[in-house]
Amino acid sequence: MTLETVSTTRSHGGVQAVYRHTSTATGTPMVFSVFTPPQALGGANCPVVWYLSGLTCTHANVTEKGEFRRWAAELGLIIVCPDTSPRGEGVADDAGWDLGQGAGFYVDATEAPWAPHFKMWTYVTEELPALVAAHFPVDMGRQGITGHSMGGHGALTVALRYPGRFKSISAFAPIVAPAQVPWGQKAFPAYLGGDQTAWRRHDAVALIEDGARVPEILVDQGTADGFLDNQLRPQLLADVCAKAGIALTLRLQEGYDHSYYFISSFIEDHLRWHAARL
């Protein structure tokens, strides 16, 4: 598969790059970023941490605001940041910011008009990992995954459905139970239809209720997050993890909101968590 290099920039001894390729999953061009640490430039195969972004975001939000490169360079982590949805002419969209382009929810849509292009589950679990493995010095036996908000939902559900693939799992302010909150109750019927059994495969709390298991999860959540009580509801994850015997570290960060100021404040902790397990 052909990769087009959009940009490369030296940073902390490594390289921050952005790439474009034609996706077979979505049928559209897709853009993603990769930070390659100095250890990998020196010939080592390094562990990879996947970062899934939230509503309205692209690869660029965390790449430009996440402040992760210093720690990724120190720890020898490759950081891969995909887009949140297909984009472009002929791709379905919605007037609302929480559906359509920028809001793919990391599912494979089955409903019109979304089904032809909104195949983000296949993209992030199959196509992009194969592409990264083929083109970058990645040790695919050492993978971690994290994400923010809608991307935290994606990270948790991907990890729960591929428990042998990921040795470390974390999230920032994730949507832990989309089937129980307004964002998911808007997106899931649109993308997946009215059969709620299909929704459960993309809902972290429901997956754990249905038997999915991972050893441990790290979650940071700001107490001043305006979406905390209505959309995020981390206590639902805490409760189900306690019942399932999953070691959840849920840290409520006093006074922090939903923004990248919050993420950049705690990204070092998350990368050290991943590095210790990878």
Side-chain angles (χ1 to χ4, degrees):
M1 189 177 294
T2 302
L3 277 184
E4 174 192 350
T5 301
V6 177
S7 64
T8 60
T9 306
R10 290 286 291 185
S11 180
H12 294 282
V15 173
Q16 179 64 66
V18 177
Y19 301 94
R20 180 184 293 113
H21 71 108
T22 299
S23 168
T24 57
T26 68
T28 67
M30 295 294 288
V31 177
F32 65 98
S33 74
V34 178
F35 177 71
T36 303
Q39 296 88 335
L41 297 179
N45 282 348
C46 290
V48 58
V49 175
W50 304 87
Y51 180 97
L52 304 185
S53 291
L55 289 163
T56 76
C57 293
T58 70
H59 72 284
N61 295 73
V62 67
T63 305
E64 296 170 4
K65 303 176 188 177
E67 301 180 19
F68 59 81
R69 278 167 289 272
R70 175 182 174 183
W71 316 114
E74 174 191 327
L75 298 166
L77 298 173
I78 292 173
I79 311 294
V80 180
C81 308
D83 201 349
T84 53
S85 77
R87 301 177 191 269
E89 185 177 352
V91 176
D93 203 4
D94 186 83
W97 57 271
D98 52 359
L99 188 70
Q101 295 187 37
F105 270 85
Y106 303 101
V107 303
D108 280 355
T110 57
E111 305 299 301
W114 314 104
H117 300 294
F118 279 71
K119 302 295 185 184
M120 290 303 296
W121 181 267
T122 296
Y123 181 72
V124 299
T125 65
E126 297 179 19
E127 184 177 13
L128 188 58
L131 185 66
V132 167
H135 289 274
F136 297 92
V138 172
D139 180 351
M140 296 298 280
R142 294 186 289 163
Q143 297 186 62
I145 191 165
T146 188
H148 172 230
S149 194
M150 179 186 72
H153 138 75
L156 293 175
T157 56
V158 169
L160 286 163
R161 287 176 57 185
Y162 290 90
R165 180 183 297 186
F166 300 99
K167 297 184 180 299
S168 55
I169 307 153
S170 75
F172 299 88
I175 308 170
V176 303
Q180 299 186 51
V181 302
W183 277 336
Q185 289 166 350
K186 178 178 180 179
F188 281 3
Y191 294 142
L192 302 174
D195 182 359
Q196 296 193 19
T197 59
W199 302 8
R200 296 185 70 83
R201 290 173 56 79
H202 295 284
D203 182 303
V205 167
L207 283 166
I208 295 170
E209 288 175 343
D210 292 344
R213 296 291 183 268
V214 293
E216 56 184 346
I217 303 169
L218 170 65
V219 171
D220 272 305
Q221 172 65 62
T223 62
D225 189 324
F227 302 115
L228 175 59
D229 296 329
N230 191 40
Q231 303 280 15
L232 305 176
R233 303 179 65 186
Q235 190 59 43
L236 294 175
L237 182 65
D239 292 344
V240 77
C241 283
K243 291 178 182 177
I246 295 172
L248 172 66
T249 301
L250 173 60
R251 308 193 309 181
L252 298 177
Q253 303 294 357
E254 186 66 31
Y256 283 86
D257 62 13
H258 200 68
S259 72
Y260 270 88
Y261 295 109
F262 157 64
I263 293 169
S264 64
S265 297
F266 300 104
I267 192 74
E268 178 188 358
D269 292 352
H270 282 244
L271 293 184
R272 292 194 184 280
W273 165 279
H274 287 281
R277 290 153 179 80
L278 297 175

